Amino acid sequence: MKEKFIKKALILALGGFITKILSMVIRIITTRVIGVDGLGLYMLVLPTFNLFITIATLSLPTAISKLVAEGTRNNKKLVLGFLPIAIIFNIFLIILIILLSPFIANNLLHNEILYYPIISIGITLPFITTSSIIKGYFFGKEKMFPNVVSNMIEQITRIISIVFIIPYLLKINISYAVSGLVFINCLSEGLGIVTLLLFMPNKTKINKNDIKPDLNNIKDIFSISIPTTTSRLISSIGLFLEPIIITFVFLKLGYQTTYITKEYGIISGYVLPMVMMPNFLSGAISNALLPTVTKSYANKKYKETKRKLLLACNLSLIIGAIFTIILFIFPKECLKLLFNTTLGSNYLKITSIIFLISYILNPLSICMQAMDKSKELMKINIIAVIIKTSLLFTLTYLNINMWPLIISYGIQYIYITIKIINIIRKNLW
């Protein structure tokens, strides 16, 4: 079992490593194609994008993966029966985004250029949701390879699209170019879905009864997804409020919008992606952990559950520590290598230490979900986001550049980690 878990984790880690390299290539190409100002605008709209992705996907990969792993349901009906509900919900979100986009762009982000990028968010949601549902099925079946291949296809599609489409849109105006960066997800996720479907069993036949929603399945999915989505939604709202709070306070302090966009772009576009690089490995380990921990905990094999959790946390922490040492010693070199800039090197050095604890949050959170502690996790995240947002708003008035953003992240991660560890200890030790 241990060898099987490590094998799955390695497959996901290798795929995640390749995908992450492609993701960094995307960021490098994007930065050089669209420039620092364009990147800053994209980073301003990205929290809004992530917020609506969280709402649209309803944590379906986690819920479907867990239910499929239990092996007590008709998986075809479980997946296909929920798909129409998800699509209808996404159409509702598209309408909502169209109605809210002028207010978000002009009144919250104080930048009318972001109107069309926010509109573009809505169009991508059905593709992202459909892809997440199918990926959840494969994770539940403990088939990691289809998701790895799909992710690689998606990233390669984004690279090609950015190289050939964004320069053309940039000639029109920067708003169209930023919109293009968002809209590219339709093409990449669409090709990802086609790739996943190619890995479906050859003898799979779909009839009308399979697509018909099953109330019991819907109830089971929502019992997992709603607490998990609420937890992620709170985190996404916190991210959504980041640029709003920073823009509001800095404008009050007398800074220009161009300065705010550039500084926030440096943190969000350069520093945070660097320190979050190990998360693709801890995420791969966590995705491999969920089905196995779900089974062992459901069968009351608590020692086995504990061993797998400790193994996942140790692997994540070791990988994170290696990245932290490299980023702390060579911040300028790392930024120069990846982004051809040294902007943000002073932030990167300290942030790498602060974020070290965050690398074990993925396996810890997955364990909480496997133990049916999604509601407790939701409460922890709500309090953590309130703490982070309050700190960000208060500390920004100290006029110490973007350090309040980094400090608030650090306090948030420390609080979440301590609370989750206490709950897990009570249940497994």
Side-chain angles (χ1 to χ4, degrees):
M1 289 295 293
K2 182 178 179 180
E3 290 177 357
K4 187 178 179 181
F5 166 68
I6 293 176
K7 181 180 178 180
K8 289 184 294 182
L10 285 175
I11 291 172
L12 283 173
L14 179 60
F17 177 69
I18 297 171
T19 303
K20 193 66 180 181
I21 290 176
L22 293 174
S23 179
M24 295 303 295
V25 171
I26 289 172
R27 195 172 292 275
I28 293 167
I29 294 172
T30 301
T31 304
R32 299 187 182 189
V33 169
I34 206 169
V36 176
D37 292 336
L39 181 66
L41 290 169
Y42 180 66
M43 287 301 135
L44 282 174
V45 81
L46 192 59
T48 306
F49 194 10
N50 290 331
L51 173 63
F52 279 103
I53 288 175
T54 301
I55 298 171
T57 56
L58 293 168
S59 299
L60 293 174
T62 301
I64 290 176
S65 175
K66 188 175 186 297
L67 294 175
V68 169
E70 291 175 357
T72 59
R73 295 167 179 81
N74 182 329
N75 293 331
K76 184 168 63 172
K77 193 167 182 61
L78 176 71
V79 174
L80 296 178
F82 195 82
L83 195 56
I85 297 173
I87 297 300
I88 292 171
F89 179 62
N90 275 249
I91 292 171
F92 165 77
L93 287 178
I94 292 172
I95 297 171
L96 182 65
I97 290 171
I98 292 172
L99 295 174
L100 290 177
S101 54
F103 176 76
I104 295 173
N106 297 324
N107 298 88
L108 296 182
L109 298 176
H110 302 281
N111 200 321
E112 61 182 12
I113 294 176
L114 299 177
Y115 172 73
Y116 287 114
I118 293 171
I119 290 286
S120 301
I121 290 172
I123 304 171
T124 68
L125 297 181
F127 295 90
I128 296 172
T129 300
T130 303
S131 176
S132 69
I133 290 173
I134 302 173
K135 287 177 180 178
Y137 163 77
F138 282 112
F139 278 127
K141 296 294 287 184
E142 300 186 53
K143 295 180 179 179
M144 309 303 170
F145 188 67
N147 288 332
V148 168
V149 175
S150 174
N151 289 336
M152 290 171 60
I153 294 294
E154 289 171 17
Q155 298 295 63
I156 292 171
T157 303
R158 289 189 181 102
I159 291 173
I160 295 171
S161 300
I162 290 170
V163 170
F164 290 100
I165 296 176
I166 301 304
Y168 171 77
L169 294 175
L170 197 58
K171 291 179 181 179
I172 303 174
N173 61 53
I174 197 165
S175 178
Y176 279 31
V178 177
S179 300
L181 289 176
V182 177
F183 193 75
I184 281 169
N185 287 275
C186 295
L187 182 59
S188 62
E189 295 288 343
L191 289 175
I193 292 168
V194 173
T195 304
L196 290 170
L197 292 176
L198 294 175
F199 285 95
M200 287 291 183
N202 294 327
K203 296 180 180 180
T204 302
K205 294 182 179 180
I206 301 173
N207 53 56
K208 292 181 179 179
N209 190 49
D210 293 327
I211 303 174
K212 184 179 178 180
D214 183 281
L215 292 178
N216 290 326
N217 285 339
I218 293 170
K219 182 180 177 182
D220 290 338
I221 289 173
F222 279 140
S223 68
I224 300 169
S225 69
I226 289 178
T228 306
T229 301
T230 304
S231 179
R232 292 177 179 174
L233 183 60
I234 295 299
S235 298
S236 296
I237 290 173
L239 292 173
F240 173 70
L241 291 174
E242 265 183 24
I244 296 171
I245 291 172
I246 289 171
T247 301
F248 174 79
V249 176
F250 271 97
L251 286 175
K252 294 269 281 185
L253 293 173
Y255 289 92
Q256 297 296 316
T257 303
T258 52
Y259 171 83
I260 300 167
T261 302
K262 182 179 179 180
E263 286 297 302
Y264 186 73
I266 289 170
I267 297 293
S268 300
Y270 299 147
V271 177
L272 293 183
M274 292 287 286
V275 296
M276 289 180 176
M277 281 181 65
N279 283 337
F280 80 88
L281 287 166
S282 64
I285 293 167
S286 300
N287 286 328
L289 183 69
L290 179 58
T292 55
V293 169
T294 298
K295 290 179 181 178
S296 61
Y297 188 80
N299 293 325
K300 298 183 179 180
K301 296 179 180 179
Y302 301 130
K303 288 185 178 180
E304 184 179 326
T305 303
K306 184 169 66 174
R307 283 198 302 270
K308 289 175 180 177
L309 174 61
L310 288 173
L311 176 61
C313 287
N314 288 335
L315 287 172
S316 298
L317 195 58
I318 290 169
I319 294 165
I322 294 171
F323 272 85
T324 298
I325 292 169
I326 293 172
L327 295 177
F328 182 79
I329 297 175
F330 306 108
K332 290 184 178 180
E333 291 79 0
C334 291
L335 286 168
K336 189 69 176 178
L337 177 65
L338 293 180
F339 301 118
N340 194 33
T341 183
T342 58
L343 294 173
S345 60
N346 56 326
Y347 291 118
L348 181 58
K349 190 170 185 177
I350 305 302
T351 306
S352 63
I353 300 174
I354 293 174
F355 270 65
L356 178 60
I357 196 172
S358 71
Y359 304 137
I360 63 171
L361 280 181
N362 271 329
L364 288 176
S365 298
I366 286 294
C367 187
M368 288 280 285
Q369 291 162 2
M371 293 164 54
D372 292 323
K373 300 292 181 183
S374 296
K375 290 183 180 178
E376 287 85 346
L377 186 60
M378 176 187 70
K379 293 176 184 176
I380 291 170
N381 279 323
I382 289 173
I383 296 172
V385 169
I386 292 172
I387 292 171
K388 178 201 165 191
T389 306
S390 301
L391 280 172
L392 178 61
F393 182 78
T394 306
L395 296 178
T396 304
Y397 275 103
L398 296 178
N399 199 8
I400 50 175
N401 297 325
M402 290 291 168
W403 287 110
L405 181 58
I406 295 168
I407 294 169
S408 61
Y409 266 114
I411 300 298
Q412 179 189 29
Y413 289 144
I414 291 170
Y415 174 81
I416 294 173
T417 304
I418 292 173
K419 296 296 288 186
I420 291 178
I421 288 175
N422 286 338
I423 292 174
I424 292 176
R425 286 183 62 185
K426 290 178 182 178
N427 287 270
L428 293 182
W429 267 262

